[in-house]
Amino acid sequence: MKHILPTIVIAQFLSTSLWFAGNAVLADMAAELELAPAFLGNLTSAVQLGFISGTLVFAIFTIADKFSPSEVFLWSAIIASLFNLAVSFKGMSGIQILVFRFGTGFFLAGIYPIGMKIASDYFQKGLGKSLGLLVGALVLGTAFPHLVKSLTDTMPWRFVLYTTSFLSVIGGLMIWAFVPIGPYRRQSQTFDFTVFFKVFRVQPFRSAALGYFGHMWELYAFWAFLPVFILQYGKLHGQEINISFTSFAIIGLGGLSCAMGGYLSEKFHPSQIAKFALTSSGICCFLSPFILFQPNLVVFMLFLMVWGLAITADSPMFSTLVAQNAPEQSRGTALTIVNSIGFGISILSIQLLNMLNQILEPAFLFLVLGIGPVIGLFYFVKGKPKQASL
């Protein structure tokens, strides 16, 4: 049993490295293929839209509760890696790239929420810590392509896609080979098309989900436009900044805060950690213009580090609360549903920033993201999710 959690965490990291693989190579890809400036938002949204579509299909057909989660993870990792690899083919058009990134996102729905489902099948006590490590792995996986890009800057941009596709398959094989069906799994015997609607009738579940939705309004839009924000700071103040490595470091710090939040959840209730983190990241949204215009690079980097830590620390806590307050026999489907809606919300914020980036100074882009934490905190605090024992 001791090997189960480390295996899930490592596999989650390897397979979710597909998520931002396209973003990491966008500058070189756009130059070679002559893509429009607005392609950044469209590229990110294609993955998110694919993920939403995948989670809807997985939820409606209760895939996570009907079939072996380890096998679902394996096949999803393999197919997602093939779609990711297809972007590297010569002569791709912008539309073809978006279609392949959509396919990658679709099968990421069989990786991220399924990984959480597998963890919840093994760990009833200490679920907050387990999900903290899992979401931390997702965050590091998301940041990893930026690191690969910064370390292989002299190599063709397609190398990042080759690397992440290979790692995804390794992750899937690890789950399939070393993580059997968990002892707390409750298999669904029939397809239940009404689960999607039933879970939101549970008030504590609904409250945790609404807090998560506010968090998701901010998270992926921040990650997608972080390189734009860093680039703008460098231009304003004449600073030479390694954008790829800095983006990796700031996003990757979120993996550390997820893990820290998981361990802290053994002393503090997840709702307390979630409220603190969501409040902190919301404050960062509203401070962002002032930080961008100040000339001290150390202050700028420290601010981004704090934001990178705060913006993810609440994610595993919300997922823990969602899992604890969902009906036991449909926990996997409930997690998938919440992920689906949350990522749908992230598309709206990404596209809004994509539009505003054409008409506003980049310094003011992140102000809009503060809407999510404000609304999420209001409904989360108002609803008071059940204080389940960890």
Side-chain angles (χ1 to χ4, degrees):
M1 281 288 290
K2 289 184 178 180
H3 76 281
I4 294 294
L5 184 57
T7 301
I8 301 172
V9 169
I10 294 170
Q12 185 97 304
F13 162 72
L14 295 175
S15 296
T16 55
S17 66
L18 300 174
W19 214 305
F20 266 38
N23 294 62
V25 299
L26 179 61
D28 291 339
M29 183 169 61
E32 179 180 320
L33 304 177
E34 299 181 351
L35 302 173
F39 199 75
L40 167 61
N42 295 332
L43 185 73
T44 309
S45 294
V47 181
Q48 308 297 79
L49 186 58
F51 184 83
I52 294 164
S53 302
T55 51
L56 284 173
V57 170
F58 278 63
I60 291 171
F61 289 97
T62 60
I63 301 296
D65 298 303
K66 182 66 177 176
F67 302 104
S68 164
S70 296
E71 291 185 5
V72 173
F73 192 107
L74 169 65
W75 287 108
S76 296
I78 291 173
I79 298 172
S81 72
L82 293 175
F83 276 111
N84 183 66
L85 190 62
V87 175
S88 68
F89 296 165
K90 297 283 187 179
M92 287 289 102
S93 68
I95 295 297
Q96 289 173 315
I97 290 171
L98 294 179
V99 169
F100 288 134
R101 292 306 290 163
F102 174 92
T104 301
F106 187 97
F107 286 98
L108 278 166
I111 296 173
Y112 173 40
I114 300 301
M116 291 195 293
K117 161 64 176 171
I118 294 171
S120 69
D121 287 344
Y122 272 94
F123 306 100
Q124 288 192 326
K125 290 187 176 181
L127 182 60
K129 181 178 76 173
S130 302
L131 292 188
L133 293 172
L134 276 177
V135 179
L138 164 71
V139 175
L140 285 176
T142 303
F144 186 68
H146 288 292
L147 177 62
V148 176
K149 174 60 180 169
S150 70
L151 295 177
T152 60
D153 201 38
T154 58
M155 299 182 69
W157 58 266
R158 291 175 174 83
F159 182 78
V160 175
L161 301 177
Y162 302 152
T163 302
T164 51
S165 291
F166 173 74
L167 293 178
S168 175
V169 174
I170 297 299
L173 289 171
M174 287 178 63
I175 291 289
W176 176 72
F178 302 116
V179 185
I181 292 174
Y184 299 112
R185 182 176 183 239
R186 297 293 180 269
Q187 185 173 13
S188 174
Q189 299 301 314
T190 59
F191 291 117
D192 184 357
F193 294 98
T194 65
V195 168
F196 189 93
F197 306 100
K198 286 180 179 177
V199 290
F200 281 97
R201 296 176 187 169
V202 181
Q203 194 279 327
F205 173 89
R206 187 170 65 247
S207 174
L210 289 170
Y212 176 76
F213 296 156
H215 152 79
M216 287 298 290
W217 172 266
E218 179 191 10
L219 179 63
Y220 276 85
F222 172 74
W223 282 350
F225 284 86
L226 176 61
V228 175
F229 194 69
I230 297 170
L231 176 63
Q232 181 66 10
Y233 184 87
K235 287 181 177 179
L236 276 175
H237 305 290
Q239 299 279 3
E240 288 290 333
I241 303 174
N242 186 324
I243 296 174
S244 291
F245 183 79
T246 304
S247 298
F248 160 75
I250 300 306
I251 297 173
L253 274 174
L256 176 63
S257 68
C258 286
M260 289 171 55
Y263 281 101
L264 286 172
S265 70
E266 297 185 325
K267 293 186 177 181
F268 303 96
H269 196 270
S271 62
Q272 295 175 296
I273 300 171
K275 282 187 285 188
F276 177 78
L278 194 56
T279 300
S280 300
S281 62
I283 291 172
C284 288
C285 291
F286 297 116
L287 287 178
S288 59
F290 303 101
I291 299 298
L292 190 73
F293 286 120
Q294 66 79 36
N296 191 310
L297 181 60
V298 174
V299 171
F300 178 71
M301 289 299 181
L302 286 175
F303 172 77
L304 289 183
M305 289 171 65
V306 170
W307 201 350
L309 288 166
I311 200 168
T312 53
D314 49 358
S315 189
M317 300 300 101
F318 283 127
S319 295
T320 299
L321 292 166
V322 166
Q324 289 178 336
N325 289 285
E328 186 176 281
Q329 70 278 9
S330 57
R331 185 183 297 130
T333 299
L335 283 165
T336 305
I337 290 168
V338 170
N339 272 273
S340 177
I341 298 173
F343 279 85
I345 291 170
S346 76
I347 287 183
L348 296 177
S349 59
I350 289 169
Q351 286 301 322
L352 179 59
L353 260 62
N354 205 35
M355 179 186 70
L356 293 177
N357 191 36
Q358 311 301 316
I359 58 177
L360 285 181
E361 287 290 327
F364 302 106
L365 282 180
F366 289 153
L367 284 175
V368 179
L369 299 185
I371 297 170
V374 170
I375 295 177
L377 276 170
F378 174 79
Y379 285 104
F380 182 64
V381 172
K382 181 181 177 182
K384 296 180 180 178
K386 184 173 65 176
Q387 303 287 298
S389 173
L390 297 180

